[in-house]
Amino acid sequence: MAEGCMRALRYAMVFFNLLFWLGGCGILGVGVWLSVTQGNFATLSSSLPSLSAANVLIAVGTIIMVIGCLGCVGAVKESRPLLLSFFILLLVIFLLEILSIILCFAYQNQIDQYAQSDLKKGLQLFGTEGNIGLTNAWSIVQTDFRCCGVTNHTDWFEVYNATRVPDSCCLEYSDNCGLENPGTWWTAPCYERVKGWLQENLVALWIFALCTALTQILGLVFSMTLFCQAVKVETFYA
């Protein structure tokens, strides 16, 4: 009976990590595709220029693939080193996620202030040579969220040293419409618009976070159970 349960657990572990690995492959593939085809779309941050959507997806996909591979091979071969490595990596990631959530709640105001300040610095790079990624990113955000600037459309006045905004701020897009009457521009702050969108989708975000946490906990339980069983078997035959 116990042997049958362990066999079922091993198959579940293999299936779990195979899905994990395939998910990592998919994320990595999307990241590479974005990097190749949408390379001009980068980050809005001036201090973290490499933190683009493509780079984040490539990094996350690679990490998931490595962890999934460790777990899958470790479960098939009942390898103690691989199962322990899988357990430790998954535990570290799980603890870092919890720590990140706690810090975000504890320092929410400071994070808001830093983010707004950093985004305003990024505006200074808008339209400049070598920053087409940041330029495109701001244009997309302002068009999709119908907003202008970080905290106000007047943020752009400091960038242009004139009463002017990018054309992506216009209610109806046309060339050089950012030079026209302010009444033809979006005036809502992009930071608050994006933050509001996240709050509106908070339930979906929490469901995703809970599902992710549950998946990680199951992975930790499966791997440690198999690891302990492998130790018992090795001790028995020693």
Side-chain angles (χ1 to χ4, degrees):
M1 182 69 177
E3 184 179 348
C5 289
M6 291 308 302
R7 186 181 295 110
L9 182 61
R10 185 164 62 251
Y11 289 153
M13 180 76 173
V14 172
F15 179 72
F16 167 82
N17 282 284
L18 183 59
L19 291 179
F20 209 57
W21 184 81
L22 290 173
C25 289
I27 294 173
L28 177 63
V30 172
V32 172
W33 175 78
L34 279 176
S35 180
V36 173
T37 63
Q38 307 291 328
N40 291 336
F41 184 83
T43 177
L44 300 176
S45 173
S46 60
S47 60
L48 297 170
S50 60
L51 193 63
S52 65
N55 290 343
V56 170
L57 290 175
I58 289 173
V60 171
T62 301
I63 292 172
I64 291 176
M65 283 180 63
V66 170
I67 294 176
C69 184
L70 283 175
C72 192
V73 176
V76 170
K77 294 189 175 183
E78 294 188 6
S79 169
R80 288 193 303 160
L82 291 180
L83 288 171
L84 186 59
S85 297
F86 173 84
F87 178 85
I88 292 173
L89 283 174
L90 200 57
L91 180 61
V92 169
I93 292 173
F94 183 68
L95 293 177
L96 287 175
E97 289 170 350
I98 293 176
L99 180 62
S100 299
I101 293 173
I102 293 173
L103 291 176
C104 284
F105 278 109
Y107 297 97
Q108 185 174 358
N109 293 332
Q110 292 90 326
I111 292 173
D112 278 343
Q113 292 173 4
Y114 174 79
Q116 291 180 38
S117 175
D118 188 58
L119 289 171
K120 285 183 178 180
K121 290 179 183 177
L123 295 183
Q124 301 294 332
L125 302 176
F126 185 88
T128 58
E129 186 177 353
N131 289 293
I132 188 171
L134 183 142
T135 301
N136 288 345
W138 266 111
S139 297
I140 291 171
V141 168
Q142 292 185 143
T143 301
D144 290 352
F145 285 92
R146 299 182 176 184
C147 59
C148 191
V150 179
T151 57
N152 196 291
H153 69 284
T154 57
D155 293 338
W156 290 109
F157 296 175
E158 299 176 12
V159 177
Y160 291 109
N161 291 318
T163 306
R164 179 186 176 184
V165 297
D167 294 343
S168 56
C169 280
C170 298
L171 300 175
E172 294 185 8
Y173 179 85
S174 63
D175 289 338
N176 296 319
C177 61
L179 292 169
E180 298 175 3
N181 191 301
T184 64
W185 306 333
W186 302 113
T187 56
C190 288
Y191 189 84
E192 292 301 325
R193 275 292 176 92
V194 174
K195 192 175 178 180
W197 178 83
L198 290 173
Q199 290 173 345
E200 289 173 2
N201 294 276
L202 200 58
V203 174
L205 291 173
W206 275 116
I207 291 174
F208 174 78
L210 289 174
C211 290
T212 301
L214 179 61
T215 302
Q216 291 173 330
I217 291 171
L218 288 175
L220 290 171
V221 172
F222 288 169
S223 60
M224 185 49 64
T225 303
L226 287 174
F227 174 79
C228 292
Q229 179 64 20
V231 171
K232 288 181 181 179
V233 170
E234 186 171 319
T235 303
F236 179 78
Y237 287 105

